[in-house]
Amino acid sequence: MFTPAKPPLTGETLDSLSARLAAHGEPVFRAKQILDWLYKKRVRSWDEMSNLSKPLRAWLAETFELMPASLVLNRQSQDVTDKLLLELGDRSLIETVIIRAPQDGVGVDHSRKTICISTQVGCAMGCVFCASGLDGLKRHLSAGEIVAQLLQVCYREDAHTPRVRAELASFDNLVVMGMGEPLHNYDNLIAALTILNADWGLGFGARRITLSTSGLVPQIRRLAEEPLGFRLAISLHGATDEVRERIMPVNKRWPLAELIPAARDFAAKHGRMLSLEFILIEEVNDTLDQAARLAAIARDLHAHVNLIPYNTVTGLDWKRPSLNRQERFAAVLEQQRVSFTLRREKGHEIDAACGQLRLRTERERAVPVAGDAAVPPL
Ligand code: SAH
Ligand code: SF4
């Protein structure tokens, strides 16, 4: 586990910061002032917090890291995707993506923005098609590191467009679909989303937050009980155990017979539509038989299906099916009157697929990052 010399301010809640300040002999209202500087005014240094005394600013600087992630690369694609490569305190790299179009829509509408964040460095799940999991899991992100990604997005946006509102309201959606399996880092994720959601934080509505999971059944059940009602997307990628198991090792632990009831219960609890993600990989899961079985699952769960043509990963042999095959697959869903979207992929040319930019940069740098012995078992 990476333990930073100082905890990040972005990992503090109003309550935890108030307690720290009280213990230091400061009035509790200072906590709100400090978090206003961080999330509403979005200053980048302690010295800009001008309504705090100099000694208090000095104490804060000694006690907390203001920003635990720094921007090392900002790659803008020709179309609509903007990718931020961020470096953490231990030199680990993570990716945060801004997508300037509807996630699942047709056509380009630049007024809609979605942010995609990472939750781990690497991933333990080992899906055979995915760049994020190729080198395994390095470590979980802390809550503060997860929140910091959103602040970096704000800094970037503030620099480009005049700020209309202090909150992240100009973003339509937040998707937890970057590097890592969010539900494997459950506590830090929920802590971070709580900070993002709070009115003293970034004020981002829970209903505009979608978590994507490869299918950790106990955590899906636990998530259903959370007070904040997040949306859920399940990465299915196979409509039978046989196909799913071939590409997603997690299916051996939690096969469809356990995953589907958990998904059904989640949807019933929240009264909201689930999404099923289905990457189309040639000759693996793009057959008409898979399409028919996927249609049956989607109808049973009243779920929306996102068909995502596979994004090739350097070093892996999996292929994207031809347009013809993609459409043939989609036609089966249409015939079965399943709500679905065939995603026109965004940002291919900047390695927007899960984890690729980071993997390439990390391998070029060849920085060994210590493995994390403290990661709990799945
Ligand atoms: N670990 C979570 C969230 C991150 S992955 C999950 O698996 O759901 C986000 C999505 O990107 C998943 O649906 C994942 O399967 C998909 N993905 C991974 N590699 C991809 C690739 N090369 N092309 C297209 N989608 C990919
Ligand atoms: Fe991890 Fe998701 Fe990639 Fe699977 S698809 S290895 S769960 S990030």
Side-chain angles (χ1 to χ4, degrees):
M1 185 69 146
F2 167 63
T3 312
K6 293 182 272 186
L9 186 63
T10 48
E12 298 294 321
T13 63
L14 184 61
D15 285 348
S16 68
L17 187 59
S18 300
R20 291 294 297 268
L21 286 161
H24 185 63
E26 287 286 339
V28 160
F29 69 83
R30 293 273 181 235
K32 178 77 171 60
Q33 287 182 327
I34 294 166
L35 295 178
D36 268 0
W37 284 114
L38 184 66
Y39 293 113
K40 305 293 192 282
K41 305 192 187 86
R42 297 207 272 275
V43 297
R44 313 276 292 266
S45 69
W46 300 107
D47 281 344
E48 288 169 86
M49 301 187 178
S50 54
N51 59 359
L52 309 181
S53 69
K54 259 195 167 171
L56 176 56
R57 277 183 266 154
W59 177 79
L60 286 168
E62 271 165 35
T63 311
F64 296 103
E65 189 75 58
L66 185 58
M67 171 50 62
S70 57
L71 184 67
V72 289
L73 191 65
N74 181 357
R75 280 227 225 158
Q76 198 153 11
S77 77
Q78 292 300 310
D79 54 5
V80 289
T81 315
D82 218 349
K83 188 152 211 167
L84 310 185
L85 187 67
L86 304 176
E87 188 176 68
L88 307 174
D90 63 350
R91 296 205 68 204
S92 290
L93 296 169
I94 54 166
E95 302 172 347
T96 307
V97 183
I98 306 169
I99 306 156
R100 289 172 209 287
Q103 262 281 290
D104 50 6
V106 183
V108 176
D109 170 1
H110 287 265
S111 64
R112 282 180 63 88
K113 283 185 273 187
T114 298
I115 311 169
C116 176
I117 58 169
S118 298
T119 51
Q120 296 179 315
V121 184
C123 183
M125 307 310 296
C127 305
V128 297
F129 49 80
C130 174
S132 289
L134 276 183
D135 287 350
L137 175 68
K138 301 282 166 53
R139 67 174 176 87
H140 290 319
L141 297 189
S142 68
E145 288 169 333
I146 297 172
V147 172
Q149 295 173 64
L150 273 294
L151 270 179
Q152 286 289 351
V153 168
C154 290
Y155 296 160
R156 200 207 161 282
E157 295 299 290
D158 292 349
H160 284 74
T161 44
R163 182 131 45 102
V164 189
R165 291 180 61 176
E167 299 83 9
L168 263 176
S170 66
F171 283 91
D172 299 279
N173 295 299
L174 171 63
V175 294
V176 189
M177 291 189 185
M179 190 174 16
E181 165 51 54
L183 298 187
H184 185 200
N185 187 13
Y186 192 94
D187 292 340
N188 290 345
L189 175 75
I190 299 297
L193 295 181
T194 303
I195 294 171
L196 292 175
N197 174 258
D199 55 1
W200 47 259
L202 282 170
F204 203 96
R207 280 166 200 193
R208 293 187 287 134
I209 300 177
T210 303
L211 313 187
S212 176
T213 180
S214 57
L216 303 190
V217 167
Q219 286 90 332
I220 292 173
R221 294 198 173 280
R222 195 171 156 201
L223 190 68
E225 305 302 323
E226 291 291 338
L228 294 174
F230 305 113
R231 290 176 179 273
L232 186 65
I234 297 197
S235 291
L236 203 64
H237 311 330
T240 51
D241 281 327
E242 191 210 343
V243 169
R244 197 164 189 265
E245 217 168 278
R246 202 177 139 199
I247 51 178
M248 300 180 74
V250 65
N251 195 74
K252 294 196 185 96
R253 183 75 178 79
W254 288 292
L256 292 174
E258 293 192 47
L259 177 59
I260 289 171
R264 189 184 298 121
D265 293 348
F266 186 96
K269 181 109 192 170
H270 287 262
R272 251 183 255 133
M273 215 182 201
L274 285 178
S275 302
L276 298 177
E277 310 285 311
F278 205 92
I279 303 179
L280 290 170
I281 310 177
E282 188 175 83
E283 309 270 339
V284 174
N285 62 2
D286 65 341
T287 61
L288 296 182
D289 178 61
Q290 283 288 301
R293 290 172 190 269
L294 170 61
I297 295 172
R299 284 180 64 128
D300 166 35
L301 293 175
H302 303 291
H304 177 87
V305 175
N306 272 323
L307 295 179
I308 310 155
Y310 182 64
N311 225 332
T312 42
V313 173
T314 320
L316 297 181
D317 284 340
W318 312 96
K319 289 197 182 65
R320 165 187 301 205
S322 66
L323 259 183
N324 200 10
R325 276 180 84 101
Q326 294 174 27
E327 276 161 12
R328 214 181 51 144
F329 191 99
V332 176
L333 300 188
E334 185 140 38
Q335 211 176 21
Q336 297 293 318
R337 291 204 292 280
V338 170
S339 156
F340 78 97
T341 325
L342 177 57
R343 194 179 290 174
R344 286 198 322 131
E345 152 225 31
K346 310 275 187 279
H348 194 68
E349 76 274 28
I350 56 160
D351 299 327
C354 205
Q356 292 194 62
L357 179 61
R358 166 253 170 190
L359 190 75
R360 165 128 46 90
T361 312
E362 197 147 87
R363 283 182 172 172
E364 276 168 14
R365 279 195 342 192
V367 189
V369 182
D372 187 346
V375 170
L378 290 172

